């Protein structure tokens, strides 16, 4: 039986992988004393050994350095070891280094396939091909010492006994990207090899004195660090130190709404942290799809119809979701940014009616028709929304710790923001709320005067916008495959011709990804997260590529036609607007992107888009 790593022992930070013909051996090389881990290449079984086996002319191993064990995944007949083979230090959190995974590699333990039936070999091959998606996963981060899955407030409230537990046991399972893949290692009590990984991003912008140092990390959790004379961290997490919530993780059109347990698509927790003169302040907000069962079936149209599934269950599913939010964050203000008309209007109506069952002193619902009030360019009108929610923000507050780490103030509620994708409109709105709350925190700490704002400091203002824009891009790339739309406003404070043109191109790219690649990506995500468990005893049909050549031609025809339509309308609009200001106003008045979307639908219908 395998020995149990003592609680509190540190994780191995550097290892050597020996690839023998019949086994993999992972040897710690960071100076710590510990047993090596042997993995059988036939069945994936594991055991700890005292040393590396001898090498000879028959057993000549390949040797490489690795930096962490992500986990082991079992398929039809074989198992697959997932290791971090390269990393990059991207900053620190609470004094502990944080790393970005720059290379992930899959090592097969599939020698048993030699004696497997042909059908099993075929299934194994097709399932194994999905694992290449893991090697290309965007924004994976980890720390050997810091718990990246918890907000500052939850870390502060963590009991002393919990802090002595192995890092994987302290972690929030919802924000643990490799939660399912670690199960075999957990069963074998390999605490010192169990490395929690989140999905997110960490970016840095460095300036000189008057210096702001920003860093952002997301994975349904984002980190922003500023050093003026203070440090600012934006941390977010959920589907992840943006955090993405793993239980209902997926891609844009393939993961909508909620599952029956109330877990929603694209759930992201974002946290801003300010550290100055020994004080620390944090503010958390969340986003997530409308919490009831609804979907959009991919059918080659640009905007597939919204379908509410099992509408009678909506109040129950929403109640589960809200109860979970209340348990973790306290009071809840749900801000709904979708349109009041068309398909979005039907979803909003269902959301509002379902919320009536849970609305109370601690749960509020507010609809704000973003497009109707702000149009395509007047995002400054979000001040109307702020006036409607400022009382909630003042009441729910934020976390404030003094020089001794004592809690002077705590956040007792959270704003939950959504649009359809919880990307573009949500990014703009959350950046506004984050800006207002950061100003309040800086006044409280004594950095800002009573009337001072972020806009009073040009460099600070510019880089705060860049930070939030990058944050929005990272979440959007994971969920939709492209950077966020409306990012020019978050970056520049106004809509630009270049930004609108870029949005058109990104909208086209989203269409292509949603229809021609996200299905396979979703299959891979479900496999990695344990939503689809492979078993030889069940009746299963492996993923197949039917009509590959024909579909490739169809996708090319569609994308080419869409591109022509986009450029045609862009040129027509540019001719109508002789000056930049005139052009932007025409964009707002005519809703040119909406017209382009309508035109794209017409193109698809003429191509014989199938539903």
């Amino acid at each position: 039986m395998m020995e149990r790593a003592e609680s509190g022992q540190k994780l191995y930070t550097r290892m050597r992988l020996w690839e023998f013909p019949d086994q993999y051996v992972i040897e710690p090389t960071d100076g710590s004393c510990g047993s090596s881990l042997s993995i059988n290449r036939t069945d994936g079984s594991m055991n700890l050994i005292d040393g590396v086996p001898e090498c000879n002319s028959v057993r000549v191993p390949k040797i490489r350095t690795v930096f962490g064990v992500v986990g082991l995944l079992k398929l039809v007949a074989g198992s697959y070891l997932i290791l971090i083979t390269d990393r990059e230090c991207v900053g620190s959190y609470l004094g502990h280094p944080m790393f970005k995974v720059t290379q992930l590699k899959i090592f097969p333990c599939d020698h048993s396939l030699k004696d497997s039936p042909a059908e099993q070999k075929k299934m194994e091959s097709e399932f194994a091909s999905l694992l290449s998606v893991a090697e290309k996963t965007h924004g994976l981060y980890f720390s050997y010492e810091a718990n990246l899955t918890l907000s500052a407030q939850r870390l502060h409230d963590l009991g002393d006994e919990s802090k002595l537990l192995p890092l994987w046991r302290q972690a929030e399972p919802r924000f643990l990207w490799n939660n399912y893949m670690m199960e075999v290692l957990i069963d074998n009590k390999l605490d010192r090899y169990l490395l929690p990984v989140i999905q997110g991003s960490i970016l840095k912008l460095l300036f000189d004195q008057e210096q702001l140092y920003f860093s952002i990390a997301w994975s349904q959790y984002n980190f922003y660090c500023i050093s003026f004379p203070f440090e600012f961290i934006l941390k977010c997490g959920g589907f992840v130190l943006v955090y993405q919530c793993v239980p209902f993780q997926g891609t844009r059109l393939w993961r909508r709404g909620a599952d029956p347990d109330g877990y929603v698509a694209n759930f992201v927790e974002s946290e801003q942290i300010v550290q100055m003169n020994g004080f620390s302040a944090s503010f958390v907000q969340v986003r997530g799809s409308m919490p009831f069962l609804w979907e959009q079936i991919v059918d080659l149209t640009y905007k597939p119809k919204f379908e509410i599934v099992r509408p009678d269950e909506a109040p129950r599913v929403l109640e589960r979701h809200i109860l979970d939010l209340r348990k973790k964050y306290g009071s809840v203000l749900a801000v709904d940014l979708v349109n009041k008309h068309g398909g979005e209007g039907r979803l909003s109506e269902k959301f509002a009616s379902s919320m009536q069952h849970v609305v109370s002193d601690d749960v509020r619902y507010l609809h704000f028709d973003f497009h109707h009030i702000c149009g395509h360019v007047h995002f400054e009108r979000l001040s109307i929304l702020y006036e409607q929610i400022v009382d909630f923000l003042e009441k729910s507050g934020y976390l404030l710790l003094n020089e001794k780490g004592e809690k002077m103030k705590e956040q007792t509620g959270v704003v939950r923001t959504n649009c359809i994708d919880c990307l573009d409109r949500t990014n703009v709105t959350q950046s506004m709320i984050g800006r207002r709350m950061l100003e309040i925190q800086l006044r409280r700490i004594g950095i800002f005067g009573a009337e001072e704002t972020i806009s009073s400091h040009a460099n600070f203002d510019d880089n705060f916008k860049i930070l939030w824009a990058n944050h929005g891009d990272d979440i959007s790339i994971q969920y939709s495959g492209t950077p966020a739309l409306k990012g020019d406003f978050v970056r520049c404070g106004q809509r630009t011709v270049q930004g609108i043109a870029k949005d058109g191109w990104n909208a086209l790219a989203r269409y292509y990804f949603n229809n021609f690649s996200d299905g396979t990506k979703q299959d891979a995500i479900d496999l990695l997260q344990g939503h689809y468990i492979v078993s030889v005893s069940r009746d299963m049909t492996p993923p197949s590529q039917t009509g590959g050549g024909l579909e490739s031609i169809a996708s090319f025809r569609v994308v080419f036609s869409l591109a022509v339509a986009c450029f045609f309308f862009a040129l027509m609009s540019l001719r109508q607007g002789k000056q930049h200001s005139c052009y932007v106003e025409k964009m707002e008045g005519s809703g040119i992107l909406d017209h382009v979307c309508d035109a794209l639908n017409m193109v698809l219908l003429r191509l014989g888009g199938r539903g």
Side-chain angles (χ1 to χ4, degrees):
M1 185 167 175
M2 225 169 282
E3 66 191 51
R4 182 184 180 87
E6 295 179 7
S7 296
Q9 283 187 322
K10 292 184 177 180
L11 295 170
Y12 298 126
T13 60
R14 182 183 290 267
M15 292 153 278
R16 184 181 294 122
L17 175 67
W18 301 74
E19 298 181 54
F20 290 101
D22 59 340
Q23 66 180 149
Y24 297 114
V25 176
I26 301 175
E27 175 194 15
T29 58
D30 57 1
S32 58
C33 298
S35 300
S36 298
L37 176 62
S38 172
I39 303 98
N40 190 301
R41 295 186 67 169
T42 299
D43 58 10
S45 59
M46 299 179 176
N47 66 289
L48 293 174
I49 57 178
D50 292 331
V52 178
E54 292 185 5
C55 306
N56 53 48
S57 57
V58 178
R59 289 170 53 85
V60 179
K62 294 180 181 178
I63 304 173
R64 71 175 78 205
T65 299
V66 298
F67 300 97
V69 180
V70 173
L72 186 81
L73 198 64
K74 292 187 176 182
L75 297 183
V76 179
S79 296
Y80 295 81
L81 181 66
I82 306 172
L83 301 177
I84 297 169
T85 55
D86 205 359
R87 69 184 182 187
E88 174 188 359
C89 185
V90 291
S92 64
Y93 179 55
L94 302 177
H96 303 299
M98 295 185 297
F99 297 92
K100 178 179 181 179
V101 176
T102 54
Q103 187 172 23
L104 201 68
K105 188 166 177 61
I106 309 293
F107 295 88
C109 305
D110 58 357
H111 289 182
S112 60
L113 279 175
K114 295 176 182 177
D115 302 320
S116 298
E119 186 62 23
Q120 273 195 20
K121 289 181 179 179
K122 179 181 178 183
M123 289 182 178
E124 183 81 7
S125 175
E126 297 201 28
F127 279 115
S129 67
L130 295 175
L131 297 182
S132 62
V133 174
E135 297 181 329
K136 302 172 184 176
T137 300
H138 173 78
L140 298 180
Y141 292 84
F142 66 92
S143 172
Y144 299 109
E145 301 169 89
N147 185 348
L148 301 184
T149 67
L150 296 182
S151 66
Q153 183 160 305
R154 293 189 68 188
L155 277 173
H156 181 271
D157 295 341
L158 205 62
D160 291 337
E161 290 186 5
S162 297
K163 292 177 182 178
L164 293 175
L165 293 173
L167 199 58
W168 70 269
R169 293 192 64 185
Q170 300 178 31
E172 166 59 68
R174 296 182 306 156
F175 299 146
L176 198 53
W177 182 77
N178 60 331
N179 191 31
Y180 173 69
M181 291 171 270
M182 290 197 304
E183 286 185 358
V184 174
L185 281 76
I186 292 172
D187 291 342
N188 286 295
K189 301 179 174 60
L190 298 169
D191 287 347
R192 299 194 70 181
Y193 287 96
L194 284 160
L195 178 64
V197 177
I198 64 171
Q199 191 168 27
S201 72
I202 299 176
L203 310 172
K204 301 179 196 172
L205 297 174
L206 219 54
F207 298 84
D208 233 347
Q209 189 70 46
E210 297 222 286
Q211 262 201 55
L212 301 115
Y213 165 76
F214 289 82
S215 87
I216 172 174
W218 99 254
S219 163
Q220 282 180 343
Y221 234 104
N222 281 17
F223 292 93
Y224 295 95
C225 298
I226 302 180
S227 191
F228 195 6
F230 62 90
E231 183 180 51
F232 173 56
I233 301 175
L234 173 57
K235 185 185 172 197
C236 40
F239 231 94
V240 177
L241 272 152
V242 179
Y243 294 116
Q244 279 216 28
C245 191
V246 172
F248 201 49
Q249 188 173 12
T251 56
R252 182 171 171 251
L253 293 187
W254 298 81
R255 278 291 182 269
R256 293 300 215 186
D259 70 5
D261 294 321
Y263 291 109
V264 297
N266 203 23
F267 181 83
V268 177
E269 175 186 304
S270 299
E271 178 182 20
Q272 294 182 170
I273 301 174
V274 180
Q275 295 179 318
M276 160 67 171
N277 295 339
F279 288 86
S280 296
S282 128
F283 175 69
V284 171
Q285 51 186 323
V286 298
R287 70 178 71 192
S289 193
M290 282 179 276
F292 51 91
L293 307 178
W294 63 277
E295 62 187 15
Q296 281 181 284
I297 302 298
V298 176
D299 60 2
L300 287 184
T301 59
Y302 185 80
K303 288 185 177 180
K305 292 181 179 179
F306 300 107
E307 298 290 345
I308 299 175
V309 182
R310 303 201 293 274
D312 293 343
E313 295 185 25
R316 179 187 61 81
V317 173
L318 183 141
E319 182 178 9
R320 286 190 176 187
H321 177 72
I322 296 298
L323 285 175
D324 183 62
L325 292 182
R326 290 191 63 188
K327 178 181 177 181
K328 291 180 171 61
Y329 302 103
S331 55
V332 178
L333 170 58
V335 177
D336 182 16
L337 302 174
V338 304
N339 301 339
K340 267 295 187 184
H341 61 272
E344 289 193 15
R346 290 191 295 275
L347 294 179
S348 181
E349 183 180 345
K350 174 58 70 174
F351 191 8
S353 63
S354 299
M355 282 295 297
Q356 297 309 309
H357 297 273
V358 296
V359 167
S360 64
D361 292 339
D362 294 327
V363 179
R364 286 173 51 187
Y365 169 82
L366 173 65
H367 179 264
F368 183 82
D369 194 330
F370 186 101
H371 284 156
H372 178 71
I373 297 172
C374 299
H376 294 277
V377 292
H378 293 301
F379 297 163
E380 72 281 357
R381 293 175 185 167
L382 281 171
S383 60
I384 299 172
L385 171 63
Y386 182 74
E387 293 303 319
Q388 297 178 45
I389 66 174
V390 65
D391 60 328
F392 179 88
L393 293 172
E394 290 175 349
K395 182 179 179 181
S396 59
Y398 53 88
L399 173 70
L400 181 63
L401 306 177
N402 63 17
E403 302 96 322
K404 299 179 181 179
E406 300 168 335
K407 188 187 294 182
M408 301 175 62
K409 187 179 179 67
E410 68 177 350
Q411 185 172 344
T412 60
V414 71
V415 177
R416 181 202 189 278
T417 309
N418 77 269
C419 48
I420 289 296
D421 298 328
C422 303
L423 295 178
D424 312 317
R425 286 170 277 184
T426 298
N427 290 335
V428 175
T429 302
Q430 284 200 339
S431 68
M432 179 273 293
I433 296 173
R435 170 185 288 262
R436 297 295 187 106
M437 291 304 297
L438 178 58
E439 290 171 344
I440 292 172
Q441 291 170 333
L442 296 182
R443 293 186 192 110
R444 176 65 180 81
I445 294 174
I447 298 174
F448 277 4
E451 303 300 323
E452 202 169 1
T453 65
I454 292 175
S455 300
S456 306
H457 304 273
N459 286 340
F460 188 8
D461 188 34
D462 290 345
N463 289 285
F464 181 84
K465 291 172 183 174
I466 289 171
L467 214 81
W468 266 96
N470 290 343
H471 168 49
D473 283 348
D474 285 333
I475 298 173
S476 182
I477 288 169
Q478 180 181 352
Y479 190 52
S480 72
T482 75
L485 309 184
K486 302 178 176 66
D488 54 335
F489 177 82
V490 180
R491 281 187 171 83
C492 310
Q494 62 181 1
R495 295 244 62 185
T496 64
V497 175
Q498 294 88 344
I500 293 170
K502 184 178 179 181
D503 283 357
W505 179 256
N506 284 333
L508 175 62
R510 282 185 184 181
Y511 168 82
Y512 178 80
F513 292 142
N514 296 160
N515 284 277
F516 299 104
S517 66
D518 281 355
T520 300
K521 184 178 178 182
Q522 186 63 59
D523 289 340
I525 291 172
D526 289 341
L527 194 62
L528 292 171
Q529 302 301 339
H531 302 318
Y532 184 85
I533 300 175
V534 180
S535 170
V536 295
S537 62
R538 64 187 289 179
D539 180 22
M540 62 183 178
T541 303
S544 59
Q545 304 295 329
T546 58
L550 208 58
E551 189 169 2
S552 299
I553 296 172
S555 65
F556 172 79
R557 290 176 60 197
V558 169
V559 173
F560 179 79
S561 300
L562 291 172
V564 170
C566 280
F567 284 117
F568 173 76
F569 277 95
L571 289 172
M572 292 295 291
S573 300
L574 284 169
R575 287 189 178 187
Q576 293 175 4
K578 295 181 179 180
Q579 297 180 353
H580 171 70
S581 59
C582 295
Y583 172 68
V584 172
E585 290 302 321
K586 283 184 178 293
M587 291 294 292
E588 177 190 13
S590 63
I592 189 67
L593 288 180
D594 290 335
H595 289 315
V596 169
C597 291
D598 292 339
L600 299 183
N601 282 332
M602 292 295 293
V603 170
L604 290 168
L605 289 173
R606 289 180 180 277
L607 283 171
R610 55 189 183 275

